[in-house]
Amino acid sequence: MTPGKWVRIWNERLPGVPLTLLQVSAAEAPDLLRGSGADAGFVRLPIDRTGLAAIPLYTETTVVVVPKDHLVAAVEEVSTGDLADEIVLHPLDDTLDWESLPGRPALERPATTADAIELVAAGIGVLVVPQSLARLHHRKDLTYRTVTDAPGSRVALSFPDGEPTDLVEEFIGIVRGRTVNSTRGRAQTPPQPKQRKRPDAAGAGRKPAGKTAGKNPRGGSGGAKGAKGTKGGAKGGKPGKPRRRPQS
């Protein structure tokens, strides 16, 4: 696995909580989690889920690793049928669920994927693996191409069975793409009652001038609506028509 993106997000959101990465083989990961050697880990399904929870994430593309001067390197993708004449290495730690292995088998199975990569570089055969493993064991003299009909590798995030801790829940959220404002998995703050705003001495809380409603302080029914420059006045009074003064 290459969890660099998720580690970066973790460091941005929880800068005071260090996240330590451990590199283990796919076969070792479940037992490491059961023994509390790690809080969470990426596994390749299927696994023995005894004592473990697993959240499926995605299915990874499968590729064939070949020397750069191999014929396969000249195309973008191949099928398992295209590998019929090739010696296809099958390491003991292979994570793909094959119904029928492609190509011709080697005389011996390499112990690990890393050993198989060395044999590919020596020109002894080719290797079909999940894409992330091809990237992990990258060499300048090797390349890889997509195998269209090979079984995919299902990747899941696993952790000890039961209610996950707050930090594990935080990491689950990062991996699943939750935003920093998501409340899922966190204690939610109960809603607070809304407080009515009180206008201050400067008139806070009033509507903007030009749309103020209410009574005219001199008794008219309008407000500032309609006033532009020096023209106009209180709504209800016609400009140019004097008001009648009360008789004393």
Side-chain angles (χ1 to χ4, degrees):
M1 294 296 303
T2 50
K5 173 184 175 181
W6 300 318
V7 172
R8 175 180 55 78
I9 296 174
W10 175 279
N11 291 333
E12 291 172 355
R13 295 187 186 179
L14 293 91
V17 182
L19 181 65
T20 303
L21 298 180
L22 304 174
Q23 183 174 323
V24 297
S25 68
E28 295 172 325
D31 287 340
L32 184 72
L33 294 170
R34 291 190 189 98
S36 300
D39 297 301
F42 296 99
V43 298
R44 297 186 183 276
L45 301 178
I47 61 168
D48 178 7
R49 296 199 184 187
T50 303
L52 297 176
I55 301 174
L57 299 176
Y58 57 89
T59 299
E60 191 172 354
T61 300
T62 301
V63 301
V64 57
V65 181
V66 298
K68 281 193 172 181
D69 58 356
H70 195 283
L71 289 176
V72 167
V75 297
E76 293 296 324
E77 57 186 29
V78 296
S79 67
T80 53
D82 296 326
L83 304 176
D85 296 330
E86 301 288 343
I87 294 177
V88 179
L89 302 169
H90 188 211
L92 295 175
D93 62 357
D94 184 18
T95 60
L96 298 175
D97 188 16
W98 293 101
E99 290 185 4
S100 177
L101 290 170
R104 298 182 293 137
L107 294 177
E108 295 183 4
R109 294 183 64 182
T112 65
T113 297
D115 292 336
I117 290 288
E118 294 296 329
L119 293 176
V120 174
I124 294 176
V126 301
L127 176 64
V128 180
V129 290
Q131 183 171 296
S132 64
L133 290 183
R135 290 175 176 172
L136 177 65
H137 298 288
H138 171 71
R139 290 174 52 122
K140 292 182 178 180
D141 54 346
L142 301 179
T143 187
Y144 58 85
R145 294 293 184 267
T146 301
V147 183
T148 56
D149 56 347
S153 178
R154 293 183 297 150
V155 176
L157 179 64
S158 184
F159 47 90
D161 205 1
E163 188 69 21
T165 65
D166 289 344
L167 289 177
V168 170
E169 183 65 45
E170 187 73 29
F171 189 68
I172 292 171
I174 289 173
V175 171
R176 301 193 78 175
R178 294 182 205 155
T179 65
V180 69
N181 295 323
S182 174
T183 57
R184 184 175 179 181
R186 303 180 185 179
Q188 298 187 21
T189 304
Q192 301 296 321
K194 294 183 178 180
Q195 296 182 355
R196 297 181 62 183
K197 294 182 177 180
R198 297 178 61 185
D200 57 22
R206 295 180 182 176
K207 295 184 179 180
K211 295 186 179 179
T212 303
K215 293 184 178 181
N216 188 294
R218 295 189 178 182
S221 60
K225 183 177 180 180
K228 294 183 179 180
T230 58
K231 295 183 179 180
K235 185 179 179 181
K238 296 182 180 180
K241 187 175 181 180
R243 294 184 179 181
R244 180 177 296 175
R245 297 179 179 274
Q247 299 287 332
S248 57

